[in-house]
Amino acid sequence: MTGPELSRAMPAGRAELSLAVPAGDSEPGGGIEPAAAPVTVRALVARGSGAELRVERVRLPAPGPGEVRVTIRAAGVCHSDLSMVNGTIAARFPLVLGHEATGVIAETGPGSSLAVGTPVVLNWAPACRACWWCRRGEPWLCADTTAPTVPRGETDDGVPLHLTLGLGALAEAVVVPERAVIPVPAGLPPERAALLGCAVLTGVGAVRNTARVAPGESVAVVGLGGVGLAVLTAARRAGATTILAIDVAEAKRELALAAGATDFLLSDDRLSKEVRARTEGRGVDHAFECVGRAATIRAAWRLTRRGGAVIVVGMGAKDDMVSLGALDIFHSARTLRSSVYGSSDPDREVPALAAELSDGVLDLRVLVSGTISLDEAPMAFDRLARGEGARWVVTLS
Ligand SMILES: [Zn+2]
Ligand SMILES: [Zn+2]
């Protein structure tokens, strides 16, 4: 749909992107090997917090040792991208947005073990496999954390550029360390495969790994964006029998029921009563907070039964303080914990989810509101800010 330069030039799986270096320009010193050149691609760029989003041409470096360039085929617009531009997360600008994507390896740097043409899903939290957390089997807590914005490349007018979560995936291509890509089978629908890298891994992982929802249990999901809908789908597949979907927007009702909810409830002052009426007066076994706000974390807390668990899946602001009574914490015996990237090992679980998607057992169609071009991506941010729809996915090439 977009990126004619990119799609025009993919013979034999190797993209010939328009070169930022004029023809004939050679590396100083005239090495024996021809110097790999940076590439210019179109990308969705925020120039500042609250600034209008624009598709701009940006220069990405050639893949260095252990790096790859990936031609993006589809990239979702996630709430965390919105948080980068609305001030919720402290970001550096100019910033390429996007961190949930699938594509094909177009070029490999020296020493890369991956082959050009390999379909991949991007991983915004690649694990080092050497730190204390990685060695104890908790790679989602890797000490080598990805910063919200990572400096890389430059704008077409020469300003140093930053990439969202080290990826900047709302672009025709990315250049990333090879541990930030996960090979997946060919032939997956790109607009659904892209979601495996954030919303689905996070939502499914929160249910399977963090909460370990068991058959017959009750679940509430607060906030029905892409992640919340993925939690509903996973809760249904885990065998939960009471699955309460909660949002401020009545328009989410149909989406929620299609995703697997047994009931939809509006988030208003009757909410606790409505939830208790559906759980024999107790509250739910697991409440998933998929917004990232103190108010909704408190709401999820109140919906949970004594001894139940509140799982914070949404990423909130550092100055948004949650207040809970000391006696309430003791007496309710609830567990409050977060689910970072679905408490998952993406290198193992993304291929497993890809296989479920390929076999048709993981149905993600309800998560995709529609596919749009890169030029239409700012519209998706506006709709996300208004809480409309599920996931808008940019498709390219
Ligand atoms: Zn995301
Ligand atoms: Zn690590």
Side-chain angles (χ1 to χ4, degrees), residues 260-325:
T262 55
D263 217 338
F264 172 86
L265 300 171
L266 267 181
S267 181
D268 56 24
D269 49 15
R270 292 171 40 80
L271 182 60
S272 285
K273 201 177 271 184
E274 296 286 342
V275 168
R276 275 176 175 71
R278 288 159 176 80
T279 52
E280 299 172 335
R282 291 190 299 273
V284 294
D285 297 313
H286 310 273
F288 294 87
E289 195 274 353
C290 303
V291 180
R293 281 200 201 128
T296 38
I297 292 169
R298 279 188 53 81
W301 177 266
R302 286 194 298 270
L303 305 180
T304 306
R305 68 164 168 83
R306 283 189 83 189
V310 179
I311 313 292
V312 176
V313 187
M315 180 164 53
K318 68 177 177 186
D319 57 354
D320 190 12
M321 310 306 284
V322 182
S323 165
L324 298 170

Side-chain angles (χ1 to χ4, degrees), residues 175-246:
V175 175
V176 295
E178 63 178 0
R179 66 186 170 101
V181 305
I182 303 166
V184 292
L188 297 174
E191 74 282 5
R192 281 173 252 163
L195 308 191
L196 298 179
C198 188
V200 173
L201 187 65
T202 301
V204 174
V207 169
R208 293 182 183 171
N209 304 329
T210 317
R212 298 174 189 263
V213 173
E217 288 192 314
S218 56
V219 162
V221 181
V222 182
L224 304 177
V227 172
L229 292 168
V231 169
L232 291 174
T233 299
R236 174 57 75 98
R237 288 200 55 215
T241 43
T242 300
I243 305 171
L244 308 177
I246 297 156

Side-chain angles (χ1 to χ4, degrees), residues 360-384:
V361 291
L362 182 64
D363 187 355
L364 302 179
R365 280 173 297 185
V366 66
L367 266 67
V368 180
S369 297
T371 57
I372 53 176
S373 69
L374 189 59
D375 294 294
E376 292 171 311
M379 172 278 288
F381 279 77
D382 292 340
R383 300 189 76 154
L384 197 60

Side-chain angles (χ1 to χ4, degrees), residues 76-81 99-100 124 165 197-199 202 227 315 391:
V77 178
C78 173
H79 213 277
S80 302
D81 293 309
H99 61 275
E100 177 185 78
W124 56 254
L165 290 165
C198 188
T202 301
V227 172
M315 180 164 53
R391 248 329 182 254

